[in-house]
Amino acid sequence: PNVGSGIQALLFEPANQITEIRIKELIIETITNHEKRATVENVSVKSTHDGLGYEITIVFSILGSEKPVKFVSFLKANRG
């Protein structure tokens, strides 16, 4: 199935706190709507100093598991 969040379009918006919040909200919404076995505990989105991407940390728990999972990734804006 197609699962989309719209985050890709935000990578070309100004790298500021508003965009960080929008990305965070989209991550939470996408996981909540499309992965019923996971419960989001925390999402952190921080833009880099050069404004060319975002460091993403997602902490979530899986149904039936006691230990939360921490996922770290980097979203890069390809600006040419």
Side-chain angles (χ1 to χ4, degrees):
N2 292 330
V3 176
S5 65
I7 289 176
Q8 186 174 9
L10 292 176
L11 296 178
F12 299 97
E13 295 293 322
N16 58 31
Q17 189 176 18
I18 293 170
T19 305
E20 290 175 2
I21 291 168
R22 290 174 65 198
I23 291 171
K24 177 180 178 175
E25 289 172 346
L26 285 173
I27 290 170
I28 293 169
E29 179 182 315
T30 301
I31 294 171
T32 301
N33 290 341
H34 297 285
E35 185 47 78
K36 302 301 181 193
R37 299 167 292 179
T39 301
V40 178
E41 295 185 15
N42 188 40
V43 175
S44 171
V45 178
K46 299 290 180 193
S47 64
T48 59
H49 294 292
D50 58 11
L52 296 179
Y54 296 87
E55 296 174 11
I56 308 293
T57 303
I58 304 169
V59 179
F60 61 96
S61 57
I62 299 173
L63 185 66
S65 178
E66 294 181 22
K67 186 175 181 182
V69 176
K70 182 178 182 179
F71 174 80
V72 180
S73 188
F74 184 80
L75 300 177
K76 182 178 178 185
N78 293 324
R79 298 177 192 242

